Amino acid sequence: MDWKPRAAALAAQATHPVSPWWTPVAETPRHLLVPRWFTPGPDGWTVRDGAADEEAWAAAAYADTTLVTRVGSVHADQAEPGRVTVGRPTSSSTLPSLVVSMLEHGRLAPGMRLLDVATGSGYSAALACHLLGDEMVTTLDVDAYLTRAAAGRLERVGCSPYVVTADASELPGVFDRIVSMVSMPRIPASWLRGLAPKGRLVTTIAGTGLIITADKTPDGGAVGRVEWDRASFMATRAGGDYPPLLDELFTVASQEDGEVHQSPFPVLDVMQAWEVWSMLSLTAPGIEHRTGTGDDGARLTWMLHPDGSWARARTAPGEHTTTVHQGGPRRLYDILDAIRRHWLKHGELPVYGARVAITPDGETTLSRSGWTARL
């Protein structure tokens, strides 16, 4: 495969000519790190084998897009061709522009020791090795198969970082920079202990589109901010898969009437409204969102929570108000509407640009314009 022109085109899309990351992107053969990947279909995921279709392989590997490499507990390397795999993505090769953005937020420079959290395909580690040198890069993942596969493929492309199999909170040393390619529910205290004086951490917060950057302070904590750009990664997992979806509660939410009222706002696809989604996730973490369309074209949405709370909302065709049904211990849709009212009143929500203060034990507080939230 003549991959270098494609990698150069990807560098032009994912970064810019004066960026220190231009050359790493242009000189990294991403296709060798992602030999197989999953593509979605109506019934599930089907594996694609790059060697069987080199043109499709090149097109996928050098597009600025995320390639799913694990669904449920099934790795793409081990998936049976032609067989549909059902489940949620549990590992991927993240779109290169987002990888570059996270590394840029790290303010990396030669001589710095980097911990790359969530090895995945090894692409972020490969870029870092080009800039910092192999000996300065440690990459970590909870999945032993992924770390073995990535180590071999990284070596094949000429990179030899220190590859570790461990939980995201188990740091194998002290680092000047910690950059996470997986979303964290909160900042582990171990990150503060494993961050060198004046070190910097970069991560996204699980269930949100928020990027947190923070620099270590002399007391062992860190201060920083929520960046104005947005990003979302898969959340950390302790086992081979994420907990099952709330299908039984979805059945309840689809059939029961619960408490009924009218909302003045039309149905919103919360997952596509990053500001609202992030604010809602900080206010009521753990909500599962589903959307649909009625037979008459009505817009439908469901909100489900592990505590048994649920909401179902419907906006009829041509209407701007919504019929809401709610049940369980909390009124999830009321929380959502309160956030939407705040946005209408102030023209924004305070999540992006918020100040971040992290104590040495990892307690993280976000604050802006009189609003605060603790992770």
Side-chain angles (χ1 to χ4, degrees):
M1 179 192 299
D2 186 13
W3 61 270
K4 289 192 174 182
R6 293 178 182 269
L10 178 58
Q13 188 175 3
T15 181
H16 52 85
V18 298
S19 167
W21 297 105
W22 174 280
T23 298
V25 174
E27 294 185 355
T28 297
R30 189 184 183 213
H31 70 288
L32 296 180
L33 300 173
V34 193
R36 302 180 102 210
W37 69 100
F38 285 105
T39 57
D43 300 317
W45 300 81
T46 304
V47 72
R48 298 292 301 273
D49 185 358
D53 187 343
E54 196 168 275
E55 183 57 35
W57 190 13
Y62 296 100
D64 189 24
T65 190
T66 294
L67 300 177
V68 173
T69 55
R70 190 176 187 269
V71 172
S73 60
V74 180
H75 293 276
D77 295 344
Q78 301 166 336
E80 183 180 333
R83 183 173 181 176
V84 173
T85 301
V86 178
R88 286 183 288 172
T90 48
S91 190
S92 67
S93 180
T94 301
L95 67 158
S97 61
L98 180 51
V99 171
V100 168
S101 178
M102 296 295 285
L103 293 170
E104 286 178 334
H105 280 305
R107 299 179 182 173
L108 290 153
M112 292 180 176
R113 298 160 294 176
L114 168 69
L115 176 63
D116 167 52
V117 180
T119 305
S121 68
Y123 185 69
S124 53
L127 298 186
C129 285
H130 276 283
L131 185 70
L132 304 176
D134 295 357
E135 70 282 0
M136 305 303 289
V137 179
T138 298
T139 184
L140 173 154
D141 203 291
V142 71
D143 190 314
Y145 177 82
L146 283 177
T147 53
R148 288 195 303 270
R153 289 165 186 162
L154 283 163
E155 186 175 0
R156 184 180 176 188
V157 303
C159 300
S160 298
Y162 182 40
V163 183
V164 181
T165 303
D167 181 85
S169 63
E170 299 173 10
L171 270 62
V174 176
F175 302 91
D176 301 296
R177 298 290 187 268
I178 298 173
V179 179
S180 180
M181 303 294 173
V182 66
S183 287
M184 303 296 294
R186 60 191 60 83
I187 308 300
S190 60
W191 284 20
L192 281 304
R193 294 192 298 269
L195 201 59
K198 299 182 180 180
R200 183 176 179 85
L201 64 86
V202 182
T203 189
T204 54
I205 298 302
T208 77
L210 307 181
I211 302 172
I212 283 181
T213 60
D215 301 312
K216 191 167 184 177
T217 50
D219 66 354
V223 295
R225 70 173 186 175
V226 176
E227 297 293 340
W228 286 98
D229 54 329
R230 62 193 190 183
S232 180
F233 287 86
M234 295 177 190
T236 54
R237 53 184 171 82
D241 201 351
Y242 296 115
L245 295 173
L246 301 173
D247 290 336
E248 291 185 10
L249 187 58
F250 176 66
T251 300
V252 171
S254 299
Q255 296 176 350
E256 294 193 2
D257 286 336
E259 294 182 6
V260 186
H261 75 278
Q262 290 293 123
S263 167
F265 309 120
V267 159
L268 175 70
D269 186 348
V270 174
M271 297 294 290
Q272 299 303 314
W274 289 65
E275 236 187 333
V276 174
W277 171 51
S278 297
M279 186 79 166
L280 178 62
S281 294
L282 292 174
T283 306
I287 296 174
E288 180 183 312
H289 299 274
R290 303 191 187 190
T291 59
T293 304
D295 293 339
D296 60 352
R299 296 170 59 190
L300 307 172
T301 190
W302 293 262
M303 300 168 68
L304 314 169
H305 195 277
D307 70 1
S309 302
W310 59 268
R312 177 178 81 252
R314 179 182 187 274
T315 299
E319 298 293 328
H320 298 288
T321 59
T322 295
T323 301
V324 179
H325 300 254
Q326 300 186 92
R330 290 189 290 174
R331 298 297 172 257
L332 301 179
Y333 213 88
D334 292 357
I335 299 172
L336 172 61
D337 271 357
I339 291 171
R340 296 177 76 176
R341 288 189 184 93
H342 186 286
W343 186 89
L344 286 171
K345 181 178 179 180
H346 298 280
E348 66 170 1
L349 295 172
V351 284
Y352 289 96
R355 181 180 185 273
V356 174
I358 310 172
T359 64
D361 62 2
E363 181 179 287
T364 301
T365 301
L366 313 183
S367 59
R368 181 169 176 249
S369 302
W371 167 83
T372 62
R374 286 183 175 85
L375 304 181

